[in-house]
PDB file of all heavy atoms in Angstrom:
ATOM      1  N   ILE A 343     -32.268  18.005 -33.615  1.00 89.00           N
ATOM      2  CA  ILE A 343     -33.126  16.918 -33.131  1.00 89.00           C
ATOM      3  C   ILE A 343     -34.149  16.597 -34.220  1.00 89.00           C
ATOM      4  O   ILE A 343     -34.414  17.423 -35.108  1.00 89.00           O
ATOM      5  CB  ILE A 343     -33.874  17.292 -31.822  1.00 89.00           C
ATOM      6  CG1 ILE A 343     -34.703  18.570 -32.009  1.00 89.00           C
ATOM      7  CG2 ILE A 343     -32.938  17.407 -30.652  1.00 89.00           C
ATOM      8  CD1 ILE A 343     -35.798  18.735 -30.990  1.00 89.00           C
ATOM      9  N   THR A 344     -34.695  15.421 -34.125  1.00 84.00           N
ATOM     10  CA  THR A 344     -35.812  15.058 -34.995  1.00 84.00           C
ATOM     11  C   THR A 344     -36.933  14.557 -34.087  1.00 84.00           C
ATOM     12  O   THR A 344     -36.647  14.098 -32.983  1.00 84.00           O
ATOM     13  CB  THR A 344     -35.407  13.944 -35.972  1.00 84.00           C
ATOM     14  OG1 THR A 344     -34.910  12.845 -35.207  1.00 84.00           O
ATOM     15  CG2 THR A 344     -34.371  14.410 -36.980  1.00 84.00           C
ATOM     16  N   PRO A 345     -38.173  14.615 -34.472  1.00 86.00           N
ATOM     17  CA  PRO A 345     -38.683  15.167 -35.719  1.00 86.00           C
ATOM     18  C   PRO A 345     -38.719  16.694 -35.685  1.00 86.00           C
ATOM     19  O   PRO A 345     -38.931  17.289 -34.633  1.00 86.00           O
ATOM     20  CB  PRO A 345     -40.106  14.609 -35.777  1.00 86.00           C
ATOM     21  CG  PRO A 345     -40.488  14.391 -34.357  1.00 86.00           C
ATOM     22  CD  PRO A 345     -39.241  14.057 -33.620  1.00 86.00           C
ATOM     23  N   ARG A 346     -38.534  17.277 -36.850  1.00 87.00           N
ATOM     24  CA  ARG A 346     -38.445  18.736 -36.914  1.00 87.00           C
ATOM     25  C   ARG A 346     -39.794  19.407 -36.735  1.00 87.00           C
ATOM     26  O   ARG A 346     -39.866  20.611 -36.535  1.00 87.00           O
ATOM     27  CB  ARG A 346     -37.800  19.159 -38.239  1.00 87.00           C
ATOM     28  CG  ARG A 346     -36.302  18.870 -38.251  1.00 87.00           C
ATOM     29  CD  ARG A 346     -35.689  19.114 -39.599  1.00 87.00           C
ATOM     30  NE  ARG A 346     -35.399  20.526 -39.819  1.00 87.00           N
ATOM     31  CZ  ARG A 346     -34.801  20.985 -40.915  1.00 87.00           C
ATOM     32  NH1 ARG A 346     -34.445  20.148 -41.864  1.00 87.00           N
ATOM     33  NH2 ARG A 346     -34.582  22.265 -41.063  1.00 87.00           N
ATOM     34  N   TRP A 347     -40.878  18.625 -36.839  1.00 92.00           N
ATOM     35  CA  TRP A 347     -42.208  19.232 -36.680  1.00 92.00           C
ATOM     36  C   TRP A 347     -42.649  19.289 -35.216  1.00 92.00           C
ATOM     37  O   TRP A 347     -43.737  19.756 -34.919  1.00 92.00           O
ATOM     38  CB  TRP A 347     -43.252  18.497 -37.523  1.00 92.00           C
ATOM     39  CG  TRP A 347     -43.205  16.990 -37.403  1.00 92.00           C
ATOM     40  CD1 TRP A 347     -42.541  16.133 -38.218  1.00 92.00           C
ATOM     41  CD2 TRP A 347     -43.830  16.175 -36.406  1.00 92.00           C
ATOM     42  NE1 TRP A 347     -42.712  14.831 -37.804  1.00 92.00           N
ATOM     43  CE2 TRP A 347     -43.505  14.827 -36.691  1.00 92.00           C
ATOM     44  CE3 TRP A 347     -44.622  16.435 -35.296  1.00 92.00           C
ATOM     45  CZ2 TRP A 347     -43.942  13.761 -35.916  1.00 92.00           C
ATOM     46  CZ3 TRP A 347     -45.071  15.371 -34.527  1.00 92.00           C
ATOM     47  CH2 TRP A 347     -44.731  14.055 -34.839  1.00 92.00           C
ATOM     48  N   LEU A 348     -41.792  18.816 -34.299  1.00 95.00           N
ATOM     49  CA  LEU A 348     -42.178  18.824 -32.881  1.00 95.00           C
ATOM     50  C   LEU A 348     -42.554  20.224 -32.379  1.00 95.00           C
ATOM     51  O   LEU A 348     -43.591  20.381 -31.718  1.00 95.00           O
ATOM     52  CB  LEU A 348     -41.061  18.210 -32.036  1.00 95.00           C
ATOM     53  CG  LEU A 348     -41.315  18.179 -30.526  1.00 95.00           C
ATOM     54  CD1 LEU A 348     -42.568  17.398 -30.175  1.00 95.00           C
ATOM     55  CD2 LEU A 348     -40.114  17.600 -29.788  1.00 95.00           C
ATOM     56  N   PRO A 349     -41.762  21.275 -32.675  1.00 95.00           N
ATOM     57  CA  PRO A 349     -42.174  22.605 -32.184  1.00 95.00           C
ATOM     58  C   PRO A 349     -43.508  23.070 -32.759  1.00 95.00           C
ATOM     59  O   PRO A 349     -44.228  23.825 -32.102  1.00 95.00           O
ATOM     60  CB  PRO A 349     -41.043  23.530 -32.622  1.00 95.00           C
ATOM     61  CG  PRO A 349     -40.207  22.767 -33.551  1.00 95.00           C
ATOM     62  CD  PRO A 349     -40.434  21.313 -33.297  1.00 95.00           C
ATOM     63  N   ILE A 350     -43.841  22.599 -33.967  1.00 96.00           N
ATOM     64  CA  ILE A 350     -45.148  22.976 -34.540  1.00 96.00           C
ATOM     65  C   ILE A 350     -46.257  22.324 -33.724  1.00 96.00           C
ATOM     66  O   ILE A 350     -47.239  22.978 -33.353  1.00 96.00           O
ATOM     67  CB  ILE A 350     -45.231  22.561 -36.030  1.00 96.00           C
ATOM     68  CG1 ILE A 350     -44.168  23.306 -36.827  1.00 96.00           C
ATOM     69  CG2 ILE A 350     -46.624  22.809 -36.596  1.00 96.00           C
ATOM     70  CD1 ILE A 350     -44.034  22.876 -38.266  1.00 96.00           C
ATOM     71  N   LEU A 351     -46.073  21.053 -33.408  1.00 96.00           N
ATOM     72  CA  LEU A 351     -47.067  20.365 -32.576  1.00 96.00           C
ATOM     73  C   LEU A 351     -47.199  21.067 -31.224  1.00 96.00           C
ATOM     74  O   LEU A 351     -48.309  21.293 -30.726  1.00 96.00           O
ATOM     75  CB  LEU A 351     -46.639  18.905 -32.379  1.00 96.00           C
ATOM     76  CG  LEU A 351     -47.506  18.082 -31.436  1.00 96.00           C
ATOM     77  CD1 LEU A 351     -48.900  17.860 -32.021  1.00 96.00           C
ATOM     78  CD2 LEU A 351     -46.858  16.743 -31.123  1.00 96.00           C
ATOM     79  N   MET A 352     -46.063  21.445 -30.650  1.00 96.00           N
ATOM     80  CA  MET A 352     -46.088  22.120 -29.342  1.00 96.00           C
ATOM     81  C   MET A 352     -46.807  23.459 -29.435  1.00 96.00           C
ATOM     82  O   MET A 352     -47.582  23.833 -28.544  1.00 96.00           O
ATOM     83  CB  MET A 352     -44.653  22.309 -28.832  1.00 96.00           C
ATOM     84  CG  MET A 352     -43.966  21.007 -28.465  1.00 96.00           C
ATOM     85  SD  MET A 352     -42.173  21.183 -28.313  1.00 96.00           S
ATOM     86  CE  MET A 352     -41.995  21.610 -26.623  1.00 96.00           C
ATOM     87  N   SER A 353     -46.561  24.177 -30.530  1.00 96.00           N
ATOM     88  CA  SER A 353     -47.219  25.483 -30.708  1.00 96.00           C
ATOM     89  C   SER A 353     -48.721  25.308 -30.857  1.00 96.00           C
ATOM     90  O   SER A 353     -49.506  26.094 -30.299  1.00 96.00           O
ATOM     91  CB  SER A 353     -46.669  26.199 -31.943  1.00 96.00           C
ATOM     92  OG  SER A 353     -45.284  26.295 -31.851  1.00 96.00           O
ATOM     93  N   VAL A 354     -49.127  24.281 -31.600  1.00 97.00           N
ATOM     94  CA  VAL A 354     -50.564  24.043 -31.793  1.00 97.00           C
ATOM     95  C   VAL A 354     -51.220  23.712 -30.449  1.00 97.00           C
ATOM     96  O   VAL A 354     -52.303  24.224 -30.129  1.00 97.00           O
ATOM     97  CB  VAL A 354     -50.784  22.900 -32.822  1.00 97.00           C
ATOM     98  CG1 VAL A 354     -52.233  22.452 -32.849  1.00 97.00           C
ATOM     99  CG2 VAL A 354     -50.340  23.341 -34.205  1.00 97.00           C
ATOM    100  N   MET A 355     -50.551  22.888 -29.661  1.00 96.00           N
ATOM    101  CA  MET A 355     -51.109  22.527 -28.342  1.00 96.00           C
ATOM    102  C   MET A 355     -51.268  23.770 -27.466  1.00 96.00           C
ATOM    103  O   MET A 355     -52.295  23.960 -26.808  1.00 96.00           O
ATOM    104  CB  MET A 355     -50.190  21.516 -27.648  1.00 96.00           C
ATOM    105  CG  MET A 355     -50.228  20.128 -28.265  1.00 96.00           C
ATOM    106  SD  MET A 355     -48.870  19.075 -27.676  1.00 96.00           S
ATOM    107  CE  MET A 355     -49.368  18.760 -26.001  1.00 96.00           C
ATOM    108  N   THR A 356     -50.237  24.617 -27.477  1.00 95.00           N
ATOM    109  CA  THR A 356     -50.279  25.838 -26.648  1.00 95.00           C
ATOM    110  C   THR A 356     -51.387  26.776 -27.126  1.00 95.00           C
ATOM    111  O   THR A 356     -52.165  27.301 -26.309  1.00 95.00           O
ATOM    112  CB  THR A 356     -48.913  26.566 -26.702  1.00 95.00           C
ATOM    113  OG1 THR A 356     -47.893  25.618 -26.416  1.00 95.00           O
ATOM    114  CG2 THR A 356     -48.839  27.707 -25.724  1.00 95.00           C
TER     115      THR A 356
END
Side-chain angles (χ1 to χ4, degrees):
Chain A
I343 56 160
T344 55
R346 287 173 81 177
W347 47 266
L348 179 59
I350 298 173
L351 175 67
M352 292 164 89
S353 305
V354 169
M355 288 167 71
T356 309

